[in-house]
Amino acid sequence: MNDPAKILIVFGTRPEAIKLFPVVAALQADPRFAPVVCVSAQHRQMLDQVLEIAGIVPDHDLDLMKPDQTLDGLTAALLTGLGKVMDQVQPARVIVQGDTATAMAGALAAYYRKVPVDHVEAGLRSYNIYHPWPEEVNRKIIGTIASLHFAPTDVSAKALTDEQIDPARVHVTGNTVIDALHWVSARIAADPALAAGLAELEARFAGKRIIGVTSHRRENFGGGMESIAEAVRQIAARPDVAVIFPVHLNPNVRAVMNGALAGLDNVALIEPLDYPHFARLLSIAEVMLTDSGGVQEEAPALGKPVLVMRETTERPEGVTAGTARLVGTETSVIVTELFNLLDDKAAYEQMARAHNPFGDGQTARRIVELIGNEIGH
């Protein structure tokens, strides 16, 4: 029997933690592997919430979060910090997810040591290096380095093979976010107290149609964020609507949203939600308004239409399938599109019933099998 292969799983933000905890759990359950978890804590508070609910205690915690740090300062700290961990752990392979600075620096540090990199959620492309920024370039860098590419859909797999990546290295696995959502939904069903923190808002907004909002994209900072805030203000003026808006910790988001929306009767500006409560928000919302990537995948799994407040998306599958619609950041367009869904039952049902293209909840199992095949265990 071979010794278990050391697999270093690197992540730093809340979305990465959500999308990687099913992979960590699958590796931990498989005697062929000795998983080692390293977090950068690029998002400290929001990351820790996911680690707690998932029962993950990191083996290495770089705790790199600093106020107003620059992207180059963060990247330099990540590269050297993750490099030291890799020198200590000596992993057989490194797993990164998505498109963060942590994922990009983790892939680069592994490459410098000639350690193979496995990329979860590979092949997402918007084909505009400034939308989303800096994520589009981060994932292209990882795609150049990766050994195994775990593409969530056929569209993302084709994007990789179009870039001349060996098709034998590209595997369509689905997206682990659906595994995570199924897991946490089952946990909430078994223990409703896990997501009881929204009960007061649910009672306050009883009888109203709840719109869930998230917004944090860097490329929307400034004018885009102000337009989004104005759209939310106009939407909340409808007497039959209530908005629940977990406001991102970034000051560029908070200042705009608090300035425009604080004190409105039909708007609840709340602190960022832990994962069970976010899953609860998805379940009670009629529509999700977002500039997030993950919500475009999660909401359709619960039959909720998504209006994407961005000019481009690297998840065109949702738009093609009809679960998501790009509406940009222009106030009038956001408001018109949302009201259309609220007022046209057929239009709403068409989006709500569209097939979710992002997975079936078995992605982590597929990924672990593919890694096992690769190392010959």
Side-chain angles (χ1 to χ4, degrees):
M1 174 87 179
N2 293 328
D3 289 335
K6 272 190 191 175
I7 309 293
L8 181 65
I9 307 101
V10 172
F11 55 96
T13 66
R14 176 181 182 273
E16 287 170 292
I18 289 169
K19 293 181 176 185
L20 282 176
F21 82 70
V23 177
V24 173
L27 288 167
Q28 289 172 335
D30 193 320
R32 296 176 295 176
F33 302 106
V36 179
V37 173
C38 175
V39 298
S40 69
Q42 187 178 330
H43 291 174
R44 175 82 271 169
Q45 182 182 343
M46 293 188 283
L47 169 72
D48 288 348
Q49 292 171 348
V50 180
L51 295 176
E52 183 177 354
I53 187 68
I56 294 174
V57 178
D59 301 284
H60 301 269
D61 189 334
L62 301 182
D63 198 21
L64 291 178
M65 186 175 178
K66 293 178 183 173
D68 298 320
Q69 63 188 339
T70 62
L71 281 174
D72 42 10
L74 172 63
T75 302
L78 285 165
L79 196 56
T80 54
L82 292 170
K84 287 175 184 174
V85 171
M86 290 178 197
D87 291 341
Q88 181 181 338
V89 173
Q90 297 288 309
R93 307 184 75 80
V94 171
I95 295 177
V96 299
Q97 188 281 330
D99 53 22
T100 67
T102 295
M104 184 273 288
L108 196 55
Y111 168 69
Y112 287 160
R113 288 155 180 81
K114 297 186 177 178
V115 176
V117 173
D118 300 327
H119 189 196
V120 176
E121 197 182 74
L124 276 62
R125 297 289 185 269
S126 71
Y127 303 101
N128 182 333
I129 65 170
Y130 296 111
H131 291 270
W133 172 83
E135 290 86 354
E136 178 76 0
V137 165
N138 285 344
R139 55 181 164 242
K140 291 184 77 167
I141 291 170
I142 299 167
T144 303
I145 292 168
S147 168
L148 291 175
H149 305 257
F150 301 127
T153 66
D154 291 330
V155 171
S156 45
K158 183 177 185 300
L160 292 163
T161 55
D162 285 350
E163 293 172 8
Q164 308 306 309
I165 289 169
D166 181 357
R169 314 304 297 170
V170 177
H171 303 276
V172 178
T173 59
N175 197 307
T176 52
V177 77
I178 308 303
D179 301 39
L181 191 59
H182 286 183
W183 180 88
V184 80
S185 297
R187 285 285 307 273
I188 295 168
D191 183 6
L194 282 172
L198 291 178
E200 190 176 321
L201 279 180
E202 292 180 47
R204 173 181 156 192
F205 293 147
K208 292 188 182 291
R209 306 168 79 178
I210 292 174
I211 310 301
V213 181
T214 70
S215 184
H216 71 275
R217 281 281 163 204
R218 285 176 184 268
E219 68 265 25
N220 285 342
F221 289 176
M225 204 61 67
E226 290 163 8
S227 296
I228 289 169
E230 175 59 20
V232 173
R233 194 187 66 76
Q234 292 183 23
I235 289 161
R238 270 182 67 138
D240 63 333
V241 163
V243 172
I244 299 179
F245 189 163
V247 183
H248 198 275
L249 295 173
N250 191 303
N252 292 291
V253 179
R254 296 214 142 186
V256 173
M257 296 308 169
N258 288 333
L261 303 172
L264 296 182
D265 288 345
N266 284 6
V267 178
L269 297 178
I270 60 177
E271 292 300 308
L273 296 171
D274 64 17
Y275 189 43
H277 284 93
F278 190 73
R280 178 64 183 166
L281 174 58
L282 290 176
S283 72
I284 65 175
E286 196 160 329
V287 180
M288 289 299 298
L289 265 181
T290 188
D291 61 11
S292 161
V295 177
Q296 295 174 53
E297 301 150 351
E298 292 165 312
L302 299 179
K304 304 305 169 83
V306 184
L307 296 182
V308 184
M309 299 180 293
R310 289 163 58 179
E311 304 304 325
T312 61
T313 180
E314 64 286 0
R315 292 168 173 83
E317 301 91 335
V319 175
T320 301
T323 60
R325 183 171 299 142
L326 279 174
V327 298
T329 58
E330 188 176 320
T331 297
S332 62
V333 177
I334 296 170
V335 174
T336 299
E337 291 283 356
L338 180 70
F339 286 0
N340 180 55
L341 285 177
L342 295 180
D343 296 332
D344 184 337
K345 189 173 181 183
Y348 183 91
E349 291 293 337
Q350 188 173 6
M351 288 189 77
R353 291 180 178 170
H355 169 70
N356 181 11
F358 294 109
D360 59 2
Q362 299 297 314
T363 298
R365 178 186 59 77
R366 293 187 190 100
I367 285 171
V368 169
E369 282 306 309
L370 288 163
I371 295 173
N373 294 342
E374 185 71 12
I375 65 177
H377 275 37

